[in-house]
Amino acid sequence: FRVEYIESFIGVSKKEAPSAAKEEGKPAAAAGAAAEARSDREAVYQAAYKTFKEGKYAQSREEFTKFLKQYPKGEYSDNAQFWIGECYYLEGNYEKAILEYEKVIKNFPKGGKNPDAMLKQGLAFQKLGDKQSAKLIFQQVTKKYPSSNQAKIAKAKLKEIK
């Protein structure tokens, strides 16, 4: 249960595939080609994510970068961009992590990874010792996503900073 909770919190649980109802009315070949492209995209993404979970951050970052070149606006693109930031964060390269998280926010404004990316930006600023920037980011998270788990964490971090 704890693993599932953590995975859902950081957004690593598998995204739902679009329903077959959306593909009704398309010729069978076109629907099959779309499903095959989707499964190829998912396979490439899952391979990069597997590398990430193995702790091979540099290799994972390269794989996610290749994924984004192939699928710049696809179903998993916001996640891939987020994981690039995570690779840098886990390597202790907080400046680059902040920049990569910013790409999630700017390039995928409606993406599901935005609260996570903002929170992680704040955590990275905090790791760098920039309490003022961290505080501003944490305040943005609580304001923009008030009922999210990320907002709860941001509120706790704000109390730590004060």
Side-chain angles (χ1 to χ4, degrees):
F1 171 75
R2 291 178 70 203
V3 171
E4 286 179 24
Y5 174 77
I6 291 169
E7 284 183 342
S8 71
F9 170 72
I10 61 173
V12 298
S13 57
K14 197 172 175 183
K15 284 193 172 187
E16 269 185 45
S19 68
K22 290 181 182 176
E23 294 183 13
E24 285 180 20
K26 289 183 181 179
E36 187 175 318
R38 187 170 46 252
S39 67
D40 287 347
R41 178 174 52 235
E42 185 175 349
V44 173
Y45 174 83
Q46 291 299 334
Y49 183 66
K50 182 178 184 280
T51 305
F52 174 83
K53 285 177 73 170
E54 292 169 353
K56 300 174 186 171
Y57 302 126
Q59 181 183 344
S60 175
R61 188 172 53 249
E62 288 175 22
E63 291 176 21
F64 281 123
T65 301
K66 286 179 187 174
F67 175 87
L68 284 171
K69 285 180 182 169
Q70 268 187 292
Y71 309 104
K73 296 291 181 189
E75 182 180 0
Y76 299 99
S77 299
D78 59 334
N79 286 5
Q81 184 63 59
F82 176 81
W83 293 117
I84 291 170
E86 276 299 271
C87 289
Y88 281 121
Y89 185 90
L90 293 169
E91 292 173 327
N93 192 339
Y94 303 116
E95 294 92 347
K96 284 194 174 186
I98 290 166
L99 295 173
E100 296 301 325
Y101 294 135
E102 186 63 25
K103 289 179 186 177
V104 175
I105 297 162
K106 296 288 184 216
N107 296 343
F108 307 98
K110 296 185 190 294
K113 283 294 191 189
N114 287 14
D116 297 299
M118 287 180 75
L119 177 65
K120 292 300 291 229
Q121 272 188 322
L123 295 172
F125 276 119
Q126 194 174 24
K127 292 274 190 184
L128 290 170
D130 185 347
K131 291 181 181 181
Q132 192 60 34
S133 295
K135 187 176 179 179
L136 289 172
I137 298 287
F138 292 144
Q139 288 170 342
Q140 285 180 354
V141 173
T142 59
K143 185 177 181 181
K144 203 166 184 179
Y145 307 100
S147 60
S148 68
N149 287 330
Q150 294 82 354
K152 291 175 189 171
I153 294 168
K155 286 175 188 174
K157 292 295 180 181
L158 282 168
K159 288 179 183 176
E160 281 179 23
I161 292 173
K162 288 182 179 179

